[in-house]
Amino acid sequence: MELNPWGSETIKDYDKLTKEFGIERMPQIGVDNHYFRRGIIFGHREFDKFWADYKAGKKVSILTGIMPSGPMHLGHKMVVDQCAFYQGLGIKTHVLIADIEARTTRGISKEEAERLALEEYLPNWIALGLDPKKADIYAQSNRSIPYYSFYSLLSGRVTFNEMQAVYGDITPGKMTSALVQMGDILHLQLPDYDGPHRVLVPVGADQDPHIRLARGFAEKLGLEKPAATFHRFASGLDGGKMSSSKPASHIALNDSPEVAVKKSVDVLTGGRNTAAEQKKLGGKIDECVVYELYAYHFIQDDKELAEIYRKCTKGEMLCGECKQILKKKVEKFMSDLAKKREKAKKQVEKMELFR
Ligand code: TRP
Ligand code: SF4
């Protein structure tokens, strides 16, 4: 099994993943958020310590980055929702635009990364609930000087072999982006920023190599080891991986409500071969992407979700009826989001993120 932050694989076997990489399973510790309650966040590294520090009133912060490459879709929304949740708890929130990574690993120009960040990514982050006034938002290419001198210090504290052991096949561009990401995760603890404290990085499981490397650096440098949570991958609408490069696999946040509703019609279900069979056996809900969309994105209320689960698995509802519900939810969500995004664009215009 391999975890590749630059790869395009999806992961199905989360038990195997946690065992092989020494990721802790996420226990239920009463975090009131649907990603936690529903086990969508399946694993972590020292989240318990982060949470204990937060509960004890100690300084903690969260940091995440999104790389501006391709359209922003529902898969990206998961991290934004989590940031908004922590921000709502009063936790200091740092969001970075990984434009250096986009350049060195995807060949995306500075101009294109800026355009995507300002016109699409940030307006959607804000529309989804991130409060830009209370967040520290920065672009990798435009942070203050100590961040860059720290990044160059890091590059001298690791060997090529160590990088290869964490990432496998690695190119100079990937190496640069990995080290910049180390800078992102660790620089908040420098005296020039907020000093030593526990930083939580909520990410998809493919980012674990970065987390492991960052924790190793923290140990070497006498910093607090960053904590991380890992959420499941969003399935593609067709059941494969949700991918930016395949429009049919995702609902892009900038899709019009009409397009998004059309895409919902084709979402893979767990339907049986015949209606009679489904009434008898119930739907194969574990394989159903419609249900996943409800659980991850469109149904917040646990009772409502449980009712769909019951009707589906008892064969009381067929997929056609179920998809009608999905279409309504998607239509409402997407038109609300579009309205909020237009407002957010005005806020973003006033931000000076790039030079
Ligand atoms: N590598 C992340 C991505 O592909 C983006 C990123 C850059 C990031 N720096 C980070 C994520 C620091 C978390 C923490 O989306
Ligand atoms: Fe999925 Fe709904 Fe069909 Fe059940 S009834 S398999 S939840 S689409």
Side-chain angles (χ1 to χ4, degrees):
M1 197 163 197
E2 199 185 69
L3 273 180
N4 179 356
W6 298 285
S8 56
E9 306 82 13
T10 186
I11 288 169
K12 297 263 182 221
D13 190 345
Y14 289 95
D15 271 331
K16 184 155 174 234
L17 176 80
T18 46
K19 280 192 198 109
E20 274 192 32
F21 292 96
I23 294 174
E24 302 285 327
R25 289 310 295 236
M26 182 61 101
Q28 286 294 346
I29 55 171
V31 181
D32 190 20
N33 170 272
H34 76 282
Y35 290 112
F36 284 91
R37 286 195 315 265
R38 297 177 184 167
I40 301 167
I41 293 173
F42 68 91
H44 73 103
R45 292 194 187 272
E46 289 191 332
F47 176 80
D48 45 346
K49 293 200 175 149
F50 165 85
W51 196 242
D53 282 359
Y54 160 69
K55 289 273 177 183
K58 291 189 190 160
K59 174 162 54 181
V60 289
S61 64
I62 66 154
L63 172 131
T64 196
I66 298 189
M67 174 163 55
S69 73
M72 183 170 175
H73 56 62
L74 283 181
H76 298 117
K77 169 180 172 289
M78 299 168 78
V79 144
V80 184
D81 288 343
Q82 291 172 59
C83 287
F85 165 71
Y86 292 116
Q87 202 182 26
L89 298 177
I91 296 175
K92 188 161 178 194
T93 302
H94 306 266
V95 175
L96 67 100
I97 297 153
D99 59 341
I100 292 183
E101 177 171 10
R103 211 177 315 162
T104 63
T105 68
R106 300 279 167 93
I108 292 172
S109 71
K110 183 168 162 49
E111 293 70 32
E112 175 63 1
E114 273 185 45
R115 191 195 63 74
L116 270 172
L118 296 175
E119 290 175 15
E120 182 164 344
Y121 279 71
L122 281 173
N124 277 311
W125 282 359
I126 296 168
L128 289 169
L130 184 86
D131 180 352
K133 290 196 280 315
K134 291 197 198 127
D136 164 36
I137 304 176
Y138 72 91
Q140 284 178 328
S141 68
N142 193 22
R143 192 63 159 164
S144 47
I145 304 287
Y147 167 83
Y148 300 103
S149 58
F150 181 58
Y151 153 76
S152 34
L153 175 144
L154 291 178
S155 69
R157 293 288 184 92
V158 65
T159 65
F160 184 71
N161 283 344
E162 285 169 318
M163 291 296 277
Q164 244 183 345
V166 175
Y167 294 105
D169 181 27
I170 186 147
T171 62
K174 288 179 183 172
M175 192 131 30
T176 299
S177 84
L179 289 168
V180 174
Q181 184 156 345
M182 294 308 104
D184 291 328
I185 296 172
L186 297 170
H187 81 287
L188 300 174
Q189 297 193 57
L190 299 176
D192 293 293
Y193 299 92
D194 288 342
H197 66 285
R198 205 165 298 270
V199 178
L200 171 72
V201 188
V203 281
D206 62 321
Q207 300 288 307
D208 184 51
H210 294 310
I211 301 298
R212 271 182 271 140
L213 188 67
R215 288 168 58 83
F217 270 120
E219 196 148 40
K220 279 187 205 165
L221 300 169
L223 300 170
E224 292 271 9
K225 282 190 187 177
T229 57
F230 303 103
H231 54 77
R232 290 170 187 266
F233 281 106
S235 303
L237 304 182
D238 52 5
K241 195 194 179 194
M242 186 170 282
S243 151
S244 298
S245 54
K246 283 191 281 161
S249 78
H250 62 244
I251 292 180
L253 299 180
N254 278 28
D255 279 345
S256 66
E258 299 78 51
V259 167
V261 167
K262 256 195 209 129
K263 286 183 180 178
S264 334
V265 177
D266 295 326
V267 176
L268 182 81
T269 70
R272 306 273 176 185
N273 291 334
T274 63
E277 202 182 315
Q278 188 152 342
K279 280 181 188 155
K280 197 164 135 223
L281 302 170
K284 290 180 282 183
I285 203 160
D286 294 339
E287 298 168 18
C288 176
V289 181
V290 174
Y291 187 72
E292 183 187 301
L293 290 171
Y294 289 147
Y296 286 27
H297 299 294
F298 299 122
I299 297 184
Q300 299 298 320
D301 179 3
D302 289 346
K303 282 202 197 99
E304 187 184 347
L305 189 68
E307 183 58 10
I308 294 210
Y309 187 93
R310 191 189 62 76
K311 281 191 182 164
C312 167
T313 51
K314 297 264 185 255
E316 287 174 22
M317 175 169 67
L318 300 183
C319 299
E321 184 188 336
C322 195
K323 270 192 180 167
Q324 291 305 323
I325 304 174
L326 179 70
K327 276 161 64 180
K328 281 205 196 97
K329 303 231 178 237
V330 168
E331 152 72 41
K332 165 129 184 43
F333 174 83
M334 295 298 283
S335 36
D336 285 352
L337 186 72
K339 275 187 219 126
K340 290 184 193 150
R341 188 169 55 235
E342 285 316 305
K343 274 200 199 134
K345 277 188 184 159
K346 299 207 180 84
Q347 276 175 290
V348 175
E349 272 164 23
K350 295 190 197 109
M351 295 160 86
E352 288 175 16
L353 289 167
F354 297 93
R355 81 170 90 215

